[in-house]
Amino acid sequence: MIEVTNLVKRYRDLVAVDGISFKVEKGEVLGFLGPNGAGKTTTMRILTGASPATSGKALVAGFDVFEQPLEVKRRVGYLPEQPPLYDDLDTRSYLQFVARIKGLRGEKQKNEIERVIAACNLESVRRRRLGELSKGFRQRVGLAQALLGDPEVLILDEPTIGLDPNQIVEVRTLIQKLAEKHTVILSTHYLPEVIQLCKRVVIVHRGRIAANDTLENLTAGGRSLEQTFYDLTQQ
Amino acid sequence: MRNVFAIVRKELLQYFTTSVAYWVFAVFSLVTSFFFIRILTFFQRSIMLNSQMRPQMLQYMNFTDQVLAPLFYNAAVILIFVAPFLTMRLIAEERRARTFDLLLTNPVTPFQIALGKYLASLVVLLVMVLLTLVYPLLVSAYAEVGAVAWSTVFTGLLGIFLLGASFTAIGMFVSSLTQSQVVAAFLTFLVLLLLWVVGWAGADNAGLAREILTGLSAIEHIRGFAKGVIDLKDLAYYASLIGLGLFFTHRSIETLRWR
């Protein structure tokens, strides 16, 4: 579903991503880990078409991100690190706008908006200005936006950050449900989340792949994921 | 095209929920009404003076040319101060709030983004320009029939609209260069100011230099419209500013992805 080959991203004198390659199969939830500044967000921004790579190739849902960006964008839902909300709009008009630029019209648009409002528990803030919402709600509106149109691929950059423990459980359950039909790349710093949701994990460190393996292998021999993560990202 | 309209709707919603549009309307009306009253009082006084001293001059006095034309000219100058506030938010704010990524990761093209934002600012501009209609309407309600030459009024409004459309095109481009709305507004204001004062420099010169400098001045091109004359060279001037503004905004959005 997603195939990344030798991806490189350079900013002037800084190499943010230094030849990353990995694959994600259809219906898989990939845990995308790494310390801050390892190149996770940059990689995800490239996959969603927000920013072009310096070199390398990325295929999403069979389309090349650089050759056919619009086809890729139609099939990817993206929740960036900071949810992209217009503070002056209310939840409903915001979701309406996103649904429109995703090409959803008429009945379908209405149904989709109702579906994501229900899925992300936003009923109570439907008419509230986004600027007034608490961090947890903002995060969930951001997630709702990514789910609109039921895209095949979901790229979620720290989706549970800023949520309270109850909300974290809700969002995890939601992602687990999504995992049945969707391909998900999940970046997070909460390792228990990875253990609960992901079968395979990619760990990046300083722009390179430090590990690309199943969760089982990474935690083999009674090692904790924390220990593995620490060992791989210390040098 | 549907994507463009989606963006237009969203931008208009923001113009009105943030009340930017209302403030712009209010300030523009306040200042134009001030000029209208001043020019009208001056016109009345010259009628009185002429009727006592030189009655033969009265036949040359005409409301449209002596009140509305200068009013339109003044409205054009006011636009220099108002237009930057209309456009400063357009792209700078999206970059600061990181919502620009939302546009970049959805199936819309940079050109659709630029066009949608631009059309939304034109809608607000159009309403603002139409507010100026209140002055000729007021006068025609009280004056004898034929006092207001409506064809001149409409070419004048067209001129102001085209001038404003050029200013917003420039403002949108400047807004794409920075993440700060204040910087965007200030830089836009500087550029527009330059497009005005270059005409003064023209007046100080003679020959070819004068031709070129006044030709560059955005405000000079409104004179024809204010008198009821639609000149191809004025249309071409505004069309090129609008075209350049849109083109550079499009390029600028393209390069934003690379940063």
Side-chain angles (χ1 to χ4, degrees), chain B residues 28 48 66 150-151 188 211 256:
Chain B
F28 186 74
M48 285 197 311
Q66 279 165 310
W150 286 103
S151 61
T188 307
E211 287 284 310
L256 279 179

Side-chain angles (χ1 to χ4, degrees), chain A residues 33 191-196 198-201 203 211-232:
Chain A
L33 311 183
L191 298 180
E193 198 160 290
V194 178
I195 292 167
Q196 188 187 342
C198 312
K199 291 206 176 59
R200 220 157 52 79
V201 172
I203 299 177
N212 177 359
D213 214 332
T214 59
L215 189 64
E216 270 173 39
N217 287 343
L218 288 173
T219 53
R223 282 156 60 90
S224 69
L225 188 56
E226 278 84 356
Q227 189 59 47
T228 311
F229 183 89
Y230 184 84
D231 291 347
L232 287 170

Side-chain angles (χ1 to χ4, degrees), chain B residues 5-24:
Chain B
F5 284 126
I7 292 172
V8 172
R9 280 178 77 158
K10 177 227 130 199
E11 291 295 329
L12 284 177
L13 205 58
Q14 283 185 302
Y15 267 124
F16 287 95
T17 52
T18 55
S19 69
V20 169
Y22 299 111
W23 278 109
V24 166

